[in-house]
Amino acid sequence: MDLKAQLKAAVEAAATQMGAPLDAAIQETPANKPGDYGTPAAFQMAKMLGQNPAQVAQTLAQTVQLPAGISRVEAAGPFLNFFVDTAAFVRGVVDAPFAMPAQGGKVVIEHTSVNPNKELHVGHLRNVVLGDSMARIFRAAGFAVEVQNYIDDTGRQAAESLFAMNHYGRTWDGTQKYDHWLGEGYVQLNADPAKESLEAGIREVMHKLEEGALRPLVEQTVKAQLDTCFRIGATYDLLVWESDVVGSGFLAQAMNILESSRYTSHPTEGKFAGAFVMDVSEFMPGLEEPNVVLRRSDGTAMYVAKDIGYQFWKFGLFEGMKFRPFMQDPAGHTIWTSAPDGQPDTEKRFGHCDEVINVIDSRQKHPQMLVKSSLGVAGEQEKEARSIHLSYEFVNLNGQTISGRKGITLAVDTALEEASGRGFAELSDKNPELAGRADAPEIARRIGVGALRFAMLRNEPSRSFDFDLEKASSLSGDTAPYIQYAAVRAANILRKAQEAGYAVDGTGANWDAVPEVDLILAKQVAKLPEIVAQAVRLHSPHGVAQYALDLATSFNAWYNAKDKQGKPATNVLQSPEGLREARLALVARLRAAFEDTLGLIGIEIPAAM
């Protein structure tokens, strides 16, 4: 029951009827104020109508048609306060599963895009989790979503790792995970005092990569990296290789589109003489130098021009790439790849989207702004507005900057094993029976994955943070295990009720007996659609993570609530008949809310904790 959305619609309809249409804000009233929800709409309407806000509020209160679940409305000066009908509201929350209205359009989300030369570390993990969570949230919000992973198979990092393999006579024997083994060579090379003298050999490998001669070796690395991503719960639809972006002529096609813009030119004199230049002053005001070189005077393209071509292709401004199946993920879903030996995309299944979200760290803020502006330069203002850079700051490790080159890192595979072990060990100390369960490894896995994913999401992407594995896997504090424990507690209540023969679906419930303390919990459960809509609007999943934490905190406060005599106020199984069934139905709805919310951020609930 998205009651706030219904109230918003009701207030807006009444305002229109009064001749003052507006975008109404509906807020929860503070704990020390009367009512459950309120709106300051009368302030805005008073300006349009030229009347006193308090008088407008009185008229608005008499005009608004209250939705089901609201018992009455009162004007308090210039504010309107709405009071919920506790019985109707709680029953409405229980009866309404989480759902979002279907949205039109397709969203392409590019994330991960780790250089294929080493294993993923916890710094990369923030990118993976942000992107994967955004994909889950947008799908839940009713969008068609395509997840892309860009593979830089012609870059220097991949060349250095492959060069190190031959230079040091390194041979993979299969005992170590391939990407970890390859990364050790990368670190060894960058610590070698003689590296500078090896430049010619490294460049030779780069040329082979550009020719595609070493692609099978890079594919082996990518598959090892994807195995880590699968373990953390990420899924993909398409791998796009840099060599294919270059080979498909994206750059030339994008430059042809930009050639016809009034914002591009070929200066014949000055410092840009002979170059192809894009003026972004109207799209990025305040730049000291608004002229951006896309192609140098010698005909070579700037790196950002390749990104522009890729972005134009995502939006379907041209075709040119071929595709073939690459592999299947653990769920049996086919991951496709761009490939010179593939087939043309005659069905236009890839790209051709209405919005692009690129999950890339904050160092790429300026290049991403240029990519976005290039769409405006091309006359594609709507696509420019829906070209989104989900920027994030860095993850530090024990106070140090993570560096794969220097070996200052913590592999995701290692962190996952340690988080699973630590979390399960803490649980086993409290509940020794867990260690003997047949599903103990699965419980530990879910704890570990949840701990890592939540640690990457609990902070806003714009904030850097120091990753602490011990804190992330703790049962207390702002952690996934704390939330998972609350969800398991809810399941235990339902299990005990069913063992006792009580209904948990609302059968026999006396909704009129539901007290205020239960209403507070139901209001928290009802917030999820609003939280999802906000995450879509902000292009960030951190609000969903915070909501999961708030949901657990609200449930624990309700579970531990005391009456005026200091006795438990919410002991479900000992509640009077009727109220007991209502509370069981509310707990069942809460449990579903935990599943829905945690599912949006890729966290599973263990069977026991």
Side-chain angles (χ1 to χ4, degrees):
M1 173 188 281
D2 192 352
L3 195 56
K4 286 179 71 174
Q6 294 176 34
L7 280 173
K8 175 180 171 66
V11 170
E12 290 174 351
T16 299
Q17 184 178 337
M18 291 171 62
L22 81 165
D23 181 12
I26 306 296
Q27 305 151 344
E28 290 191 43
T29 56
N32 60 342
K33 299 292 183 181
D36 297 287
Y37 300 103
T39 180
F43 275 112
Q44 296 169 263
M45 296 174 62
K47 292 180 181 179
M48 289 185 274
L49 298 172
Q51 299 177 14
N52 180 281
Q55 293 176 331
V56 173
Q58 290 286 349
T59 305
L60 185 60
Q62 296 169 7
T63 306
V64 66
Q65 297 294 311
L66 300 180
I70 298 294
S71 62
R72 71 183 195 278
V73 59
E74 292 180 358
F79 296 96
L80 247 61
N81 291 332
F82 299 94
F83 297 77
V84 304
D85 178 332
T86 298
F89 182 88
V90 176
R91 183 171 188 174
V93 171
V94 166
D95 289 345
F98 166 65
M100 298 289 291
Q103 302 289 330
K106 176 182 177 181
V107 180
V108 164
I109 301 177
E110 180 203 329
H111 70 81
T112 304
S113 305
V114 176
N115 287 317
N117 72 313
K118 58 184 179 300
E119 74 281 6
L120 274 71
H121 57 59
V122 292
H124 300 132
L125 184 60
R126 191 174 202 185
N127 185 306
V128 177
V129 173
L130 282 170
D132 181 68
S133 297
M134 278 276 79
R136 292 167 183 265
I137 289 167
F138 269 78
R139 286 194 187 101
F143 292 90
V145 177
E146 178 181 306
V147 177
Q148 297 184 10
N149 184 353
Y150 189 82
I151 311 299
D152 184 1
D153 61 322
T154 64
R156 184 176 185 87
Q157 288 88 345
E160 288 188 356
S161 288
L162 295 177
F163 172 81
M165 184 191 306
N166 291 324
H167 180 69
Y168 299 115
R170 306 184 77 243
T171 302
W172 183 59
D173 62 7
T175 57
Q176 189 178 9
K177 196 163 175 282
Y178 184 78
D179 51 345
H180 288 250
W181 172 82
L182 193 68
E184 288 179 353
Y186 178 70
V187 173
Q188 183 179 357
L189 176 64
N190 282 281
D192 192 334
K195 182 188 175 186
E196 190 174 340
S197 66
L198 305 175
E199 184 63 26
I202 295 171
R203 287 194 173 276
E204 183 181 348
V205 174
M206 289 183 70
H207 290 316
K208 290 182 179 179
L209 285 170
E210 291 167 359
E211 295 167 356
L214 303 178
R215 182 148 171 170
L217 290 175
V218 182
E219 288 188 351
Q220 188 174 359
T221 309
V222 170
K223 287 180 178 179
Q225 291 178 333
L226 288 177
D227 179 66
T228 298
C229 297
F230 297 153
R231 293 183 70 198
I232 209 71
T235 59
Y236 304 87
D237 299 301
L238 176 66
L239 309 181
V240 177
W241 296 66
E242 176 159 318
S243 58
D244 296 332
V245 169
V246 174
S248 297
F250 284 9
L251 178 61
Q253 294 191 71
M255 295 306 103
N256 286 340
I257 291 173
L258 294 173
E259 283 278 4
S260 61
S261 171
R262 65 186 178 92
Y263 299 103
T264 59
S265 62
H266 294 272
T268 57
E269 57 184 25
K271 64 179 181 178
F272 298 121
F276 180 44
V277 178
M278 176 174 69
D279 180 1
V280 297
S281 55
E282 288 191 25
F283 308 96
M284 297 173 64
L287 289 179
E288 184 176 337
E289 177 50 78
N291 292 300
V292 179
V293 174
L294 296 176
R295 193 164 49 225
R296 302 180 185 90
S297 57
D298 63 3
T300 58
M302 300 295 287
Y303 195 84
V304 72
K306 176 217 63 178
D307 289 340
I308 289 171
Y310 182 29
Q311 193 81 343
F312 280 16
W313 173 80
K314 289 176 183 174
F315 275 113
L317 296 186
F318 50 74
E319 306 293 333
M321 196 173 279
K322 296 179 179 179
F323 306 94
R324 61 172 171 79
F326 182 70
M327 67 181 298
Q328 287 192 328
D329 67 18
H333 170 72
T334 298
I335 301 174
W336 287 72
T337 182
S338 62
D341 60 347
Q343 296 298 316
D345 187 18
T346 54
E347 298 179 9
K348 297 183 178 180
R349 60 183 298 176
F350 300 119
H352 296 90
C353 66
D354 301 285
E355 180 166 304
V356 173
I357 303 173
N358 293 326
V359 185
I360 306 175
D361 70 61
S362 59
R363 292 174 300 182
Q364 297 299 312
K365 183 176 182 179
H366 182 70
Q368 283 294 303
M369 282 298 296
L370 294 177
V371 169
K372 180 183 179 75
S373 298
S374 70
L375 288 159
V377 169
E380 299 283 355
Q381 280 74 24
E382 185 177 344
K383 291 179 173 60
E384 178 197 6
R386 300 189 70 176
S387 179
I388 308 298
H389 174 205
L390 200 175
S391 174
Y392 63 93
E393 293 295 332
F394 295 104
V395 178
N396 296 316
L397 183 62
N398 300 322
Q400 291 183 291
T401 301
I402 295 174
S403 172
R405 184 184 300 271
K406 297 179 181 178
I408 303 172
T409 183
L410 174 62
V412 174
D413 295 307
T414 303
L416 186 56
E417 297 295 337
E418 291 190 14
S420 299
R422 290 185 185 206
F424 192 77
E426 184 178 347
L427 270 177
S428 298
D429 286 343
K430 295 183 176 182
N431 184 5
E433 294 180 0
L434 282 177
R437 290 178 60 114
D439 59 352
E442 176 62 13
I443 293 173
R445 185 193 68 79
R446 294 190 177 197
I447 292 170
V449 171
L452 294 191
R453 290 189 69 116
F454 193 81
M456 296 296 146
L457 293 176
R458 60 178 299 269
N459 295 293
E460 292 187 36
S462 59
R463 291 180 56 191
S464 61
F465 70 95
D466 195 62
F467 179 74
D468 188 319
L469 187 61
E470 184 174 354
K471 289 182 179 178
S473 55
S474 174
L475 290 177
S476 59
D478 299 346
T479 67
Y482 168 79
I483 302 168
Q484 291 168 316
Y485 191 86
V488 170
R489 170 178 278 174
N492 287 339
I493 292 173
L494 298 173
R495 176 179 53 79
K496 291 177 181 177
Q498 290 172 318
E499 290 173 352
Y502 301 140
V504 299
D505 61 357
T507 302
N510 180 4
W511 301 106
D512 291 327
V514 174
E516 176 77 13
V517 67
D518 295 45
L519 171 62
I520 294 171
L521 181 61
K523 285 168 68 177
Q524 188 70 36
V525 172
K527 287 182 181 180
L528 183 54
E530 176 189 352
I531 297 297
V532 172
Q534 181 185 59
V536 168
R537 187 171 64 252
L538 297 178
H539 295 94
S540 175
H542 76 275
V544 176
Q546 182 59 51
Y547 172 73
L549 191 63
D550 293 343
L551 195 63
T553 301
S554 296
F555 174 53
N556 287 335
W558 177 84
Y559 182 86
N560 294 308
K562 301 290 191 294
D563 61 19
K564 293 180 180 179
Q565 287 74 43
K567 297 179 180 179
T570 55
N571 190 316
V572 180
L573 299 184
Q574 294 183 14
S575 296
E577 185 177 355
L579 175 58
R580 176 185 61 212
E581 281 67 29
R583 282 179 162 167
L584 284 170
L586 177 58
V587 172
R589 181 66 186 84
L590 170 80
R591 166 69 187 197
F594 275 124
E595 291 274 3
D596 293 332
T597 305
L598 291 175
L600 292 172
I601 52 177
I603 297 175
E604 299 170 286
I605 300 172
M609 287 185 76

